[in-house]
Amino acid sequence: MDSELKEEIPVHEEFILCGGVETQVLKCGPWTDLFNDQSVKRPKLLIFIIPGNPGFSAFYVPFAKALYSLTNRRFPVWTISHAGHALAPKDKKILTTSEDSNAQEIKDIYGLNGQIEHKLAFLRTHVPKDMKLVLIGHSIGSYFTLQMLKRVPELLLMLPTLGAKK
């Protein structure tokens, strides 16, 4: 396993406008656009990490790389920052489109409710509805995940079956 983790694993950094706020998304693996990738190799599952405070997604890069490696590089692992917790460097473009509903402001985006709506807005715009999700939350990210599932129960959720016998 150590040799697998030492291999270079691609991590793509994007800054997007989500809920009217700059948001950092780190994408582990070669897939950066799941909507427009209609290839046979497009994954059917996304591992989505929602961090704890302070909402700094780069903290989770080693974990994301390990997950990506341990799933034999078959599934993308994406980590999203909390709204307002990451600012794009001056030389980095913030991605958005004019018809992007995520560019619309979310009321009280810095509060608990706003942070939950922020994550849901991202999933609606950047993840196809037929994509299965493994949602991983750390600390307050776990609370966000549970609230997301209460609000949108149709989220396709694949629960881990670690240790389960078939």
Side-chain angles (χ1 to χ4, degrees), residues 10-96:
V11 177
H12 177 76
E13 177 186 54
E14 287 181 359
F15 283 89
I16 61 165
L17 196 61
C18 185
V21 176
E22 291 178 23
T23 303
Q24 181 186 43
V25 181
L26 299 176
K27 300 178 175 184
C28 192
W31 305 279
T32 59
D33 183 351
L34 295 175
F35 268 115
N36 293 316
D37 181 358
Q38 298 303 319
S39 71
V40 180
K41 293 186 178 190
R42 185 186 103 179
K44 306 230 182 302
L45 180 137
L46 169 66
I47 300 171
F48 190 67
I49 301 171
I50 301 174
N53 275 333
F56 185 57
S57 53
F59 177 78
Y60 297 87
V61 168
F63 178 61
K65 284 183 172 185
L67 281 175
Y68 181 67
S69 180
L70 291 169
T71 60
N72 296 318
R73 300 174 177 238
R74 291 178 31 222
F75 308 114
V77 180
W78 291 3
T79 306
I80 188 170
S81 69
H82 294 322
H85 288 229
L87 294 175
K90 292 188 188 310
D91 62 335
K92 196 82 167 173
K93 182 180 178 187
I94 298 172
L95 305 175
T96 188

Side-chain angles (χ1 to χ4, degrees), residues 9 17 36 52 56 82 99-100 107 117 121 138:
I9 295 174
L17 196 61
N36 293 316
F56 185 57
H82 294 322
E99 63 273 353
D100 187 352
K107 186 177 178 183
E117 290 301 320
H138 172 234

